[in-house]
Amino acid sequence: MGRQIYTEEHDIFRAAFKRYLEKEVVPHLEEWEENHEVPREAWKKMGEQGYICPWLEEEYGGSGAGFEYSIIINEEMSRVRANGFSVGLHSDIIAPYINSFGSEEQKAKYLPGAATGDILLAVAMTEPDAGSDLQAIRTRAVKDGDHYVINGQKTFISNGYCCDLAVVACKTDPNAKPAYKGISLILVEAGTPGFNKGRRLQKMGLQIQDTAELYFEDCRVPATNLLGQEGRGFYYLMDKLQQERLIAIIRAQVGAEEMLKLTMDYVKQRHAFGKPIGSFQHNAFKLAEMATEIELGRTFFDDLLADHLEGRNIVKKVSMAKWWIGEMCNRVAYQCLQLHGGYGFMDEYVISKWYRDVRAITIYAGTTEIMKQVIAREMGLL
Ligand SMILES: Cc1cc2nc3c(=O)[nH]c(=O)nc-3n(C[C@H](O)[C@H](O)[C@H](O)COP(=O)(O)OP(=O)(O)OC[C@H]3O[C@@H](n4cnc5c(N)ncnc54)[C@H](O)[C@@H]3O)c2cc1C
């Protein structure tokens, strides 16, 4: 099962990465949160150390390591609440699109820069009028000779403001039936005329991460920027969304574990009515319930991870874990903040930041409701 995935080498890697985070990331988190931005140098340092796209083949600048190393990186970044530094999104969600579906030329052009942190990546699916219902997107890419001309708008795009390259979901055939067969993925470089970045959106949490609107106005890109085949975009997205969900689940699971840890410390030292607040039976039972749910989540996650590493189909199971662990994490956030009393509402108490950060987990990478829809479909009900 899951935990047996890790060898001594993984443990050594984890310990080294934790030291790296303590030195290079944790001391800057507050400043990055205030600026809503992670500086380029921080990305490049990560790249120099081989912490970006470790799974990538050596010829493209990776180290050909197993996906377990990505999991360790994502887990440890979540543990220090550095999720908004979107290394996981860049490395394990977007770069795989180029690696799996890109031409040799596209891979050689973009992957080495992605691994060094010089080419930052975003994936642009969501539009103001189409989120869960992806096949309803309206961004159009019209073939014009050896170019595509793109028009449309995207929103809520993580790394949207800082990205150098965006994987953009476009309609190449608006009349396709079913509609999803008309979706293609096109690579658009920052700086291409007609590709404009809008404002960085103000959010309730994940303050480090830039989340932006993107606009395409008669944006001409070479037809060779098509990723894979025309009309296959939806299939590619559905394929890679499974790993994206796995990364979202790690954040939820680790978030719940960390929130419980810091609340345990708090309830032992905070006194009311002459006793530590954790010793009131109601609170002790709440903590016992949370510990149980967190343990269940960990076991489920590790089992799911083992399935993924063995190449099994995880569509149903990852959807189950995404909604259940995502919701569990939010229950834990609510209860842990409550146990902090008024201090939990104050910014200087980190539980308030956790509470705000984890709220998005049940929304991005497929909402809780959409996950249940996928499971019900897999059960032959819908
Ligand atoms: C922090 C953050 C980062 C993000 N990063 C990215 C990114 O990098 N790239 C990107 O493309 N997108 C990104 N998104 C967008 C995200 O994927 C969408 O917000 C999500 O898919 C939901 O779409 P929506 O917001 O349009 O909500 P809607 O689809 O409008 O849904 C609204 C509500 O209706 C429910 N609902 C919808 N359809 C059904 C149904 N059939 N049955 C039952 N309930 C339903 C939903 O579950 C939800 O509760 C990000 C979002 C956030 C919050």
Side-chain angles (χ1 to χ4, degrees):
M1 297 272 276
R3 248 35 218 171
Q4 289 154 16
I5 289 164
Y6 300 113
T7 62
E8 201 185 331
E9 270 179 42
H10 292 117
D11 294 342
I12 293 169
F13 177 86
R14 190 188 292 272
F17 186 58
K18 280 170 109 155
R19 282 196 300 277
Y20 176 85
L21 289 176
E22 285 305 323
K23 186 164 172 263
E24 302 288 351
V25 173
V26 174
H28 305 291
L29 285 178
E30 216 165 292
E31 181 195 335
W32 296 348
E33 284 190 328
E34 271 168 29
N35 298 339
H36 305 293
E37 183 176 40
V38 177
R40 286 270 163 169
E41 307 84 71
W43 281 93
K44 289 190 184 178
K45 270 191 195 162
M46 277 266 187
E48 278 163 23
Q49 299 297 320
Y51 294 140
I52 301 184
C53 303
W55 51 269
L56 199 57
E57 288 159 46
E58 283 180 32
E59 63 171 308
Y60 299 120
S63 43
F67 183 64
E68 318 85 78
Y69 287 91
S70 288
I71 295 292
I72 293 171
I73 290 168
N74 279 284
E75 277 196 348
E76 295 311 322
M77 289 193 75
S78 300
R79 224 168 270 297
V80 297
R81 216 180 48 78
N83 285 327
F85 183 175
S86 310
V87 173
L89 172 78
H90 168 96
S91 288
D92 306 310
I93 296 172
I94 312 176
Y97 280 104
I98 303 173
N99 190 54
S100 298
F101 310 119
S103 64
E104 210 36 66
E105 197 192 345
Q106 289 167 341
K107 286 160 79 165
K109 187 171 179 192
Y110 298 121
L111 290 177
T116 55
D118 285 292
I119 299 179
L120 303 187
L121 307 173
V123 61
M125 299 175 264
T126 307
E127 299 183 357
D129 292 323
S132 303
D133 186 9
L134 192 58
Q135 60 178 337
I137 59 166
R138 289 200 295 217
T139 296
R140 278 283 275 133
V142 178
K143 200 82 173 278
D144 181 23
D146 53 4
H147 282 76
Y148 282 105
V149 181
I150 306 176
N151 278 287
Q153 184 185 343
K154 299 288 178 183
T155 194
F156 306 151
I157 309 307
S158 309
N159 282 357
Y161 200 77
C162 70
C163 74
D164 303 293
L165 184 72
V167 176
V168 184
C170 304
K171 276 272 170 78
T172 40
D173 179 1
N175 302 316
K177 295 231 170 15
Y180 61 79
K181 290 193 170 173
I183 296 178
S184 304
L185 301 184
I186 298 181
L187 298 170
V188 185
E189 291 181 17
T192 307
F195 174 19
N196 298 311
K197 295 173 177 179
R199 66 204 165 97
R200 269 186 270 214
L201 300 166
Q202 300 290 316
K203 313 190 287 295
M204 68 180 275
L206 289 176
Q207 297 301 348
I208 298 178
Q209 185 178 63
D210 90 59
T211 307
E213 293 169 329
L214 304 179
Y215 299 94
F216 301 90
E217 289 168 61
D218 293 329
C219 174
R220 288 178 75 82
V221 298
T224 50
N225 283 25
L226 176 72
L227 197 61
Q229 294 171 20
E230 212 178 81
R232 299 286 301 169
F234 192 81
Y235 297 92
Y236 300 155
L237 291 168
M238 290 306 116
D239 183 38
K240 294 295 174 206
L241 268 170
Q242 309 316 319
Q243 187 157 301
E244 176 168 355
R245 286 170 186 156
L246 203 78
I247 300 293
I249 298 162
I250 296 173
R251 294 175 175 183
Q253 180 61 33
V254 172
E257 290 168 1
E258 290 304 310
M259 286 187 281
L260 181 64
K261 253 189 243 165
L262 68 92
T263 305
M264 285 295 291
D265 290 343
Y266 186 79
V267 299
K268 285 178 193 161
Q269 58 85 14
R270 175 77 180 169
H271 284 65
F273 301 96
K275 289 168 71 176
I277 56 167
S279 67
F280 295 114
Q281 193 186 49
H282 173 84
N283 295 344
F285 279 15
K286 276 275 165 234
L287 289 156
E289 284 168 14
M290 284 192 268
T292 308
E293 290 203 54
I294 290 170
E295 194 69 33
L296 286 169
R298 174 51 76 178
T299 306
F300 193 17
F301 173 73
D302 286 349
D303 189 47
L304 171 68
L305 175 60
D307 282 355
H308 185 58
L309 291 172
E310 284 163 22
R312 300 209 186 105
N313 180 334
I314 58 165
V315 171
K316 185 172 163 192
K317 213 160 162 177
V318 81
S319 307
M320 290 173 164
K322 168 79 174 53
W323 85 257
W324 192 84
I325 297 178
E327 296 287 340
M328 178 272 283
C329 171
N330 275 280
R331 280 195 296 279
V332 168
Y334 181 89
Q335 289 164 359
C336 285
L337 191 145
Q338 184 70 15
L339 282 164
H340 278 73
Y343 293 98
F345 198 66
M346 302 297 142
D347 271 356
E348 60 255 53
Y349 279 72
V350 74
I351 188 66
S352 69
K353 294 187 178 181
W354 273 111
Y355 180 88
R356 293 195 299 253
D357 282 357
V358 301
R359 189 61 193 87
I361 293 175
T362 63
I363 296 169
Y364 61 63
T367 64
T368 288
E369 294 72 27
I370 295 301
M371 293 303 91
K372 291 179 185 174
Q373 194 182 61
V374 173
I375 298 162
R377 263 201 210 117
E378 291 282 314
M379 292 167 73
L381 295 167
L382 300 177

